[in-house]
Amino acid sequence: MPSPIAINPVSPSHSIFKKMSKSPTNLPASAASYLSAVSQADAHARARSLATTVTPTTTPPLSMSSSVTVFSDDNVLREGEPKMFDNDDGLSYPPIPPTSEQVFTTVHSEFGHCANEEYRFTSQHPPGKPVPHHKELDPPYYILLSTYISYMILICLGHLRDFFGKRLKPSAYTHLLPHNGYAPLNSDFDSFYTRRLKLRIDDCFSTPVTGVPGRTIICYDRETQDYNANLHTTGRRTRGLNISSYNYLGFAQARGGCADAVAEVISRYGVSCCGARLEGGSLDLHQTAERLIAQFVGQEDSIISSMGFATNSTIIPALVGKGCLIISDEFNHASIRFGVRLSGASVRTFKHNSMKSFENLLREVISQGQPKTHRPWKKILVIVEGLYSMEGSIVDLPKVLELKKKYKFFLFVDEAHSIGAMGAHGRGVAEYYGIDPRSIDILMGTFTKSFGAAGGYVAGKKNLMDHIRVRGHSGPYAEAMSPPVLTQVMASMASIMGVAPEPPKSANGTSSNTLIPYPGPAPAHMLPNWFDLPPSLKDGTEGLIRLRRLAFNARYLSRGLKKLGFITYGSDDSPIVPLMLFNPGKMCAFSRMMKQRATPIFTVVVAYPATPLVTSRVRFCLSAAHTKDDVDLILKACDEIGDWLDLKQGVGERWSLQEIMDRAVELVHMDID
């Protein structure tokens, strides 16, 4: 019987991402052999064509037709043969062999090849200019009305089904009714949204993946016979363009300098901490990483945690307690809210990124003091995020610091999404605004986004970090981060910073351990002596290219969508671009239509309760791994689907899709009020 809901039942036959029926058996054994073959082929071609060779500047679009070149025994790419190669998993990807002017050390399916220097931008707020306040546009009234009506129909029909179902088919509702003397674990109210809305679009969430979530991603195809109550894999896999991962700098790679460093540390330390040398209760590698992180963010000291969520939820209680006040942005992450509840401190929230609301609240809480007693607060801690993941908005940090000097509170900035993704050197929102990071009391961040690893950190003054080591829950109770994860953090961070050469030795034969001023490169003595990155990573060249590619991709997609007529939220410099869908029925339609294109595109759709009821959206997560052609592909898909779903409700001047693609560089660099 055919599936009631067809979920990508057949991969498009003309997609280059389709699983190859038979993969070549004599592929290059490593990236080194691939580059060697490229170098020989380039020399061979140049000897024959001399100056007639034209250097390609970008990678062909993902939708180009596929053909497979089988490597010969000498691993030399023959001139005139089709320039398409298979990855070792049998899935094709279309790199053009680079010439000597553009040698790529990355696998194209994981990190896109792009040598055109015009497709670069620097993530930095223009000095002297006021921070723009992005006004969130409202859709036409008929969009809001239809959205509310959709929810009303959903709720009414859902309750009718529950009413009759419990009486006519009680076996299907045993988990919601008292059974064998036990109370139900789930109440009707708690599970209603999950059963009546999320279940219907569950194929858009939690898609099982395999392989590296880089520029492309491989997902298992699924189908259902019972309207998403159960989803079963079909045995087929689909590779598509990945616009759904927080892989901001593209360090989620299986090959390259960072992966080589991880392989080296496994041979030295093992996968776990067991049997490794300890110093002061922790691995020497942990202490090395903490020093490097402090240097990276421009603080005196740092503490690492094995889990990003736990970094906030276990450290906030060590900072404040009863008699203290926490002032929090209304859109702060759940980990912050959880940590606030554990602390026992009072909490007040202000309107998202509204400095007027923030200052009014400050005046009120300072003048009124603690509830009932009206005594002064022991401590006031303000918690904001550098980049808000659901909104794509950037905190107005200059104004927050201005109010900090005026009202004397402590500032905690969560840079989970901004660290490594913003600023000319990737140092986060403080560098983005040109602000001294030491004017912020506590900087928090995670390694799960830009660094392609796991865990998190807090950084600040050394005496404060020593206090958190003793009083924070993550120190005595949490697991230590494993050496491979630590090495991935240090390798990717050092690649962003660059590594300074070892300073000359003094007369007594010792090297100087003087720190390099922020935001300079990583001093060589801060890295393990066995740590050896490739030259392009060690000198910081590749890290800078990744930062500038990410900044270009983010501005290009955000501004391109606006010129097409869509309503988007957040800053143009944010690597997260929320495109508003509003109606809940359009979430599943948008997600499925993107996956069913000739070149599948995997996206993230978000709805209530993660967002307000009527502001359902799709979040595009840009990466340095994407090329300009990839963003063109996304814009083309959005342009077509937007017409079908009536999503173009924005205001302002509109451009055609072709004009946007042709004037991409101009669009990214122009001043837009």
Side-chain angles (χ1 to χ4, degrees), residues 332-612:
N332 275 347
H333 191 260
S335 61
I336 296 175
R337 298 167 182 254
F338 190 71
V340 169
R341 287 197 293 268
L342 288 178
S343 71
S346 300
V347 60
R348 296 289 299 273
T349 61
F350 62 91
K351 188 177 180 181
H352 173 60
N353 225 8
S354 171
M355 295 300 103
K356 183 178 180 180
S357 172
F358 177 40
E359 186 170 12
N360 289 339
L361 180 59
L362 278 170
R363 289 177 177 175
E364 176 190 342
V365 297
I366 291 175
S367 63
Q368 295 298 319
Q370 298 184 41
K372 297 182 181 180
T373 64
H374 299 290
R375 294 176 180 174
W377 298 101
K378 295 180 181 178
K379 208 182 300 180
I380 297 179
L381 178 66
V382 174
I383 304 180
V384 294
E385 294 187 34
L387 173 62
Y388 293 85
S389 61
M390 288 294 172
E391 309 299 316
S393 53
I394 303 172
V395 65
D396 188 351
L397 189 59
K399 183 63 176 179
V400 172
L401 290 175
E402 179 185 328
L403 296 176
K404 182 178 185 292
K405 293 179 181 178
K406 183 177 180 180
Y407 293 100
K408 310 302 180 185
F409 54 78
F410 295 101
L411 181 59
F412 184 113
V413 178
D414 180 337
E415 291 208 271
H417 290 269
S418 55
I419 193 67
M422 302 192 67
H425 302 89
R427 309 302 171 91
V429 70
E431 187 189 27
Y432 175 78
Y433 285 114
I435 292 172
D436 182 3
R438 299 203 177 190
S439 60
I440 302 170
D441 299 292
I442 301 175
L443 287 170
M444 176 269 173
T446 62
F447 306 124
T448 55
K449 281 80 177 177
S450 299
F451 305 100
Y457 70 87
V458 287
K461 293 182 179 179
K462 190 175 189 313
N463 59 352
L464 179 59
M465 295 299 105
D466 290 339
H467 169 81
I468 293 176
R469 284 189 177 95
V470 176
R471 299 294 298 274
H473 297 162
S474 59
Y477 299 118
E479 289 183 343
M481 193 181 295
S482 66
V485 177
L486 276 173
T487 304
Q488 171 67 23
V489 170
M490 290 192 294
S492 56
M493 193 171 287
S495 301
I496 300 171
M497 301 172 72
V499 181
E502 192 70 38
K505 293 185 178 181
S506 59
N508 59 6
T510 61
S511 299
S512 171
N513 287 337
T514 304
L515 295 180
I516 297 174
Y518 171 89
H525 67 267
M526 280 193 169
L527 299 172
N529 53 13
W530 52 264
F531 212 80
D532 188 23
L533 295 173
S536 62
L537 296 180
K538 185 175 290 187
D539 62 13
T541 303
E542 186 171 326
L544 181 61
I545 291 174
R546 291 177 184 241
L547 288 165
R548 299 186 68 217
R549 282 183 59 173
L550 173 64
F552 177 90
N553 292 340
R555 287 174 73 90
Y556 178 37
L557 180 60
S558 177
R559 293 185 169 188
L561 290 172
K562 291 176 183 176
K563 289 298 184 183
L564 287 174
F566 292 97
I567 296 178
T568 63
Y569 280 2
S571 169
D572 291 345
D573 292 324
S574 166
I576 300 172
V577 183
L579 187 153
M580 306 310 295
L581 303 177
F582 300 107
N583 194 296
K586 294 180 181 180
M587 288 193 303
C588 52
F590 188 94
S591 177
R592 291 166 183 166
M593 292 175 76
M594 291 290 272
K595 286 192 290 187
Q596 291 169 359
R597 296 185 63 82
T599 300
I601 302 175
F602 293 100
T603 59
V604 174
V605 290
V606 189
Y608 178 85
T611 66

Side-chain angles (χ1 to χ4, degrees), residues 144-327:
L144 290 175
L145 183 61
S146 64
T147 301
Y148 280 116
I149 291 175
S150 297
Y151 279 109
M152 289 176 61
I153 294 173
L154 174 77
I155 293 171
C156 292
L157 292 181
H159 281 299
L160 282 174
R161 291 192 63 181
D162 285 352
F163 178 82
F164 289 105
K166 289 177 182 179
R167 288 154 178 81
L168 301 178
K169 195 177 181 181
S171 60
Y173 291 85
T174 54
H175 62 295
L176 298 174
L177 298 171
H179 185 68
N180 290 337
Y182 288 93
L185 286 176
N186 297 320
S187 69
D188 290 347
F189 180 80
D190 294 338
S191 63
F192 181 83
Y193 177 84
T194 302
R195 291 182 291 111
R196 296 305 176 204
L197 178 59
K198 183 178 181 295
L199 180 66
R200 301 304 179 196
I201 59 175
D202 224 16
D203 57 288
C204 301
F205 308 111
S206 305
T207 303
V209 302
T210 180
V212 176
R215 168 177 167 261
T216 65
I217 193 169
I218 307 171
C219 295
Y220 288 100
D221 295 343
R222 297 182 296 172
E223 63 183 9
T224 179
Q225 301 293 334
D226 48 14
Y227 300 97
N228 280 354
N230 294 282
L231 292 165
H232 306 280
T233 57
T234 64
R236 297 187 298 269
R237 300 185 301 168
T238 298
R239 185 190 287 274
L241 183 64
N242 180 20
I243 200 75
S244 59
S245 298
Y246 293 141
N247 182 27
Y248 295 139
L249 292 182
F251 280 115
Q253 297 174 210
R255 304 177 188 178
C258 295
D260 293 341
V262 172
E264 175 65 20
V265 80
I266 290 176
S267 66
R268 290 174 176 269
Y269 286 81
V271 178
S272 68
C273 297
C274 298
R277 181 167 59 92
L278 298 178
E279 291 184 2
S282 63
L283 280 170
D284 55 333
L285 207 58
H286 290 83
Q287 299 172 3
T288 301
E290 288 180 344
R291 290 193 295 267
L292 180 64
I293 293 164
Q295 174 74 9
F296 182 76
V297 301
Q299 294 282 8
E300 291 182 10
D301 195 9
S302 71
I303 301 174
I304 56 177
S305 174
S306 58
M307 181 180 177
F309 189 98
T311 306
N312 276 330
S313 60
T314 62
I315 285 175
I316 291 176
L319 300 172
V320 290
K322 188 176 180 180
C324 300
L325 174 67
I326 294 176
I327 298 178

Side-chain angles (χ1 to χ4, degrees), residues 118-140:
E118 289 187 338
Y119 302 149
R120 310 283 191 268
F121 191 77
T122 300
S123 174
Q124 187 173 13
H125 179 71
K129 286 192 175 183
V131 178
H133 297 282
H134 301 279
K135 185 178 180 181
E136 297 179 353
L137 297 177
D138 293 324

Side-chain angles (χ1 to χ4, degrees), residues 1-17:
M1 184 178 70
S3 169
I5 300 179
I7 303 165
N8 199 11
V10 180
S11 300
S13 59
H14 55 288
S15 170
I16 63 133
F17 297 107

